[in-house]
Amino acid sequence: MVRPSLTLVLVTEGPARLAAPILAERFPRVRCETGSVLVPVGRRETPESVLAFCRERRIGVVASCVVSRTVAPPSRLVMGG
């Protein structure tokens, strides 16, 4: 079964590497990439909850968007005998 993987990409007012540890307090799978903060979102963590946390912690967000990737489970190798 193929399922989409959603990630919220945040461009912050300050350096992403400073915002990431603050966000990681609540969203443990946060990572930095090319000057942006990436937060996986889903049922428990929504884009709205991440942005609300940013407002609460005074992390200025200049821009944000949700990107989707299709993630397929690992294929099984069938060995002939």
Side-chain angles (χ1 to χ4, degrees):
M1 178 178 163
V2 176
R3 63 176 204 253
S5 173
L6 300 176
T7 300
L8 178 64
V9 179
L10 300 172
V11 177
T12 57
E13 287 180 353
R17 61 179 160 61
L18 296 179
I22 298 168
L23 283 161
E25 294 172 13
R26 167 110 183 258
F27 309 99
R29 297 184 300 155
V30 167
R31 66 185 198 279
C32 286
E33 191 173 292
T34 62
S36 299
V37 181
L38 307 178
V39 184
V41 293
R43 291 182 186 181
R44 297 177 78 191
E45 295 94 5
T46 64
E48 293 81 9
S49 67
V50 175
L51 291 170
F53 185 78
C54 289
R55 284 189 300 274
E56 178 183 303
R57 296 301 299 267
R58 292 184 163 75
I59 298 171
V61 176
V62 177
S64 66
C65 67
V66 175
V67 294
S68 174
R69 293 184 306 166
T70 301
V71 178
S75 60
R76 295 183 187 175
L77 295 176
V78 178
M79 305 285 278

